[in-house]
Amino acid sequence: VDRPIGLFDSGVGGLSVWREIRARLPAEDLIYVADEAYVPYGTKSVAEIQQRSTMITRYLLTQNIKALVVACNTATAAAIHQLREQFSLPIIGVEPAVKPAAQETETGVVGVLATPNTLASEKFSDLVSRFNTDVRVMVQPCVGWVDLVEQGEWQGQYARDCVAAHVEPLLSAGADVLVLGCTHFPFLLPLIRRVAGPHVRILESGAAIARQLENRLQAERLECDTGHGHTRFVSSGDTHVAAAKMARVLGCTVVVDALCDVGVA
Ligand code: DGL
């Protein structure tokens, strides 16, 4: 029997990565953990995000995973280094697509939309320092966007105003490429597109993560390419609420199991 691949995020955002992995690696079994009891991560302390990341990874190891995808920019920035020190399985993280953005911009101005924690991290400043000699990288902490996605509130005027308030300053500064540096944000894409207009490029990281995961599995001879993979969804919060949230972003019904806390030693 083949072993599953584990993914986690603070909530439903990582499903934007999950859908790319599902499409690219259809034979793999996946376990998706939404840490709904602790969402959002974007404003939590780094220590707390590290603790949650460790706990969830331990849980996923009890489920016998062969690889881990940290489907959250905030948790990657705060905890991936430490996870790699603690655990020996292949661990793939997600980071804002600043490099492709720097290659694609024509105005020389790139806007990065992410959580306050991601933008404040050392990992992010290291990333930016590799590109900001050629291009101007403008950052925009998007407080409240994660909640819009978690609450499924992307239709109304409130959501539109909230998105416009963060995107418009970047456009006024000349940004022609926007980087979605949080895995929740692809679910706001129609709204962001409406505010940004048809000519601005909008980049997300899901497809690149799926490719990276595939390469890594092949390199380690861990890939499974026969049969039809299944996904198990797990949440640390109320499983019915989580199922409703996931169904809203995915557009199909899902069954959600409860996360058994394995504790942090
Ligand atoms: N989806 C996450 C990210 O990519 C975390 C959002 C949050 O919980 O604040 O950053």
Side-chain angles (χ1 to χ4, degrees):
V1 180
D2 200 57
R3 293 155 65 203
I5 296 161
L7 291 81
F8 78 91
D9 178 46
S10 58
V12 298
L15 293 172
S16 68
V17 176
W18 170 83
R19 66 184 174 190
E20 300 289 345
I21 292 175
R22 185 69 297 165
R24 188 160 191 110
L25 302 168
E28 299 289 350
D29 285 330
L30 307 173
I31 304 181
Y32 182 91
V33 175
D35 197 12
E36 292 283 353
Y38 289 81
V39 70
Y41 281 179
T43 46
K44 297 265 183 323
S45 74
V46 169
E48 190 166 15
I49 299 166
Q50 289 176 340
Q51 214 172 62
R52 294 306 300 166
S53 301
T54 297
M55 196 288 291
I56 292 166
T57 306
R58 288 225 170 99
Y59 164 77
L60 285 166
L61 286 167
T62 68
Q63 306 302 301
N64 204 21
I65 57 166
K66 61 184 177 184
L68 175 71
V69 177
V70 182
C72 174
N73 290 262
T74 309
T76 299
I80 200 161
H81 180 67
Q82 178 209 316
L83 290 177
R84 286 187 175 134
E85 276 178 355
Q86 282 176 291
F87 305 102
S88 59
L89 79 171
I91 301 178
I92 313 287
V94 49
E95 67 180 13
V98 173
K99 183 180 175 180
Q103 286 161 350
E104 288 185 28
T105 179
E106 285 165 20
T107 59
V109 184
V110 161
V112 182
L113 303 148
T115 67
N117 263 341
T118 297
L119 298 174
S121 69
E122 204 179 306
K123 212 164 185 315
F124 183 72
S125 3
D126 287 350
L127 175 68
V128 168
S129 67
R130 287 169 27 214
F131 302 101
N132 66 359
T133 46
D134 306 320
V135 302
R136 180 161 166 232
V137 179
M138 295 190 62
V139 301
Q140 185 66 282
C142 297
V143 176
W145 284 26
V146 170
D147 292 336
L148 294 179
V149 176
E150 289 290 323
Q151 303 313 323
E153 268 181 41
W154 47 71
Q155 244 97 41
Q157 189 61 34
Y158 173 73
R160 200 197 142 91
D161 290 349
C162 184
V163 167
H166 290 92
V167 170
E168 274 162 3
L170 299 172
L171 302 176
S172 317
D176 64 343
V177 184
L178 298 178
V179 176
L180 306 187
C182 170
T183 54
H184 278 75
F185 299 173
F187 295 113
L188 296 174
L189 188 59
L191 217 49
I192 301 169
R193 174 56 71 201
R194 233 191 298 156
V195 173
H199 303 301
V200 167
R201 259 166 285 192
I202 303 174
L203 306 182
E204 53 172 295
S205 313
I209 298 312
R211 260 195 322 270
Q212 215 178 308
L213 173 64
E214 182 178 41
N215 291 341
R216 185 72 187 271
L217 292 176
Q218 282 170 355
E220 313 244 351
R221 299 192 178 286
L222 285 172
E223 81 273 30
C224 162
D225 42 28
T226 50
H228 185 73
H230 173 263
T231 302
R232 198 152 77 80
F233 297 95
V234 178
S235 170
S236 60
D238 182 294
T239 52
H240 295 285
V241 174
K245 288 183 180 187
M246 290 186 188
R248 223 158 29 212
V249 298
L250 293 176
C252 62
T253 40
V254 294
V255 175
V256 180
D257 295 336
L259 177 76
C260 323
D261 216 304
V262 291
V264 179

